Amino acid sequence: MKEKKGSSRWGILLLAGTVVGLGFSPAGSTENGLEAKARRFLERMNRGQFGKAVEDFDAVMQERMSADKLEQTWGAVTRQAGGFQELKDTRQKTTGSYTSVFLTCRFEKALLDVKVVFDAENRITGLWFVPPSTRQEYKPPAYADTAGFREQDVTVGSGEWLLPGTLTLPIGPGPFPGVVLVHGSGPNDRDETIGPNKPFRDLAWGLASRGIAVLRYEKRTKVFRNAFLDPEKGFTVKQESVDDALAGAALLRRAPGISPDKVFILGHSLG
């Protein structure tokens, strides 16, 4: 999100449990005043002290995010990423009059950066929960024969919920059985990327190496994240997951080279 003065400057990436004990002093860190302030803010959220946590908000944040709303936000993150475990590292980046402090945190199920943005008066003016920005190289599994399949871009769904996807097809005349991969909770991409790990790509390449076509796609809560942030809209698992899984199965049945009576859906967790 682009940060603009005078507008709402907060956003969240909802990922996923319960709040647990933590360590707030990353080894070898040398924190300045803003890093210490961001760490205190994180500590207050983890301890459930949301009233104190919002005391450092600027006027825009105080208007847009009350203590109750901050509690809801933290609850949504920990429901999906798991309970907070430890603070791994801190770093900061200055852009104009804004300074972003990144708190790299280990949760039960994910590693996240809690991005706390400060204005020129050292007030909190933005808040994000995002994957760590460090790039890690993906390595294909040994069982994937990349010469034995090809991939093509597809679109899953219809109307306002179109989702980009990838169809992995074995090389050969077919027809092939097909599998639709369905994500767990959280706004996952088509590979279910977590750091250097891409389990859905591993599955797609491994199955396609053995003569099974695989469809995977970006999850609706990733592509249309903002639409799912409003708790008043009451989205259910049907909108989050089921509709797109069925649309994917329908797409596979129509795809050339696929045996329409041998299409399966494979999911885990929420999927």
Side-chain angles (χ1 to χ4, degrees), residues 6-40:
S7 63
S8 173
R9 295 180 292 275
W10 63 272
I12 57 174
L13 174 63
L14 300 182
L15 289 168
T18 55
V19 179
V20 296
L22 67 160
F24 279 109
S25 299
S29 68
T30 56
E31 294 183 334
N32 63 20
L34 288 184
E35 290 176 351
K37 200 168 187 175
R39 180 171 54 83
R40 182 182 65 186

Side-chain angles (χ1 to χ4, degrees), residues 156-157 161 163 217 220 239-249:
V156 175
W161 303 112
L163 303 172
Y217 51 89
R220 188 181 295 195
Q239 289 82 25
E240 182 179 353
S241 188
V242 174
D243 288 347
D244 297 324
L246 295 176

Side-chain angles (χ1 to χ4, degrees), residues 96-134:
S97 60
Y98 297 101
T99 300
S100 299
V101 176
F102 297 85
L103 305 168
T104 302
C105 302
R106 180 173 299 283
F107 292 78
E108 270 185 294
K109 302 176 185 177
L111 196 67
L112 292 179
D113 274 350
V114 180
K115 178 182 176 183
V116 186
V117 183
F118 293 91
D119 63 13
E121 287 74 41
N122 295 342
R123 308 287 289 179
I124 295 175
T125 190
L127 174 63
W128 283 262
F129 297 86
V130 297
S133 58
T134 54

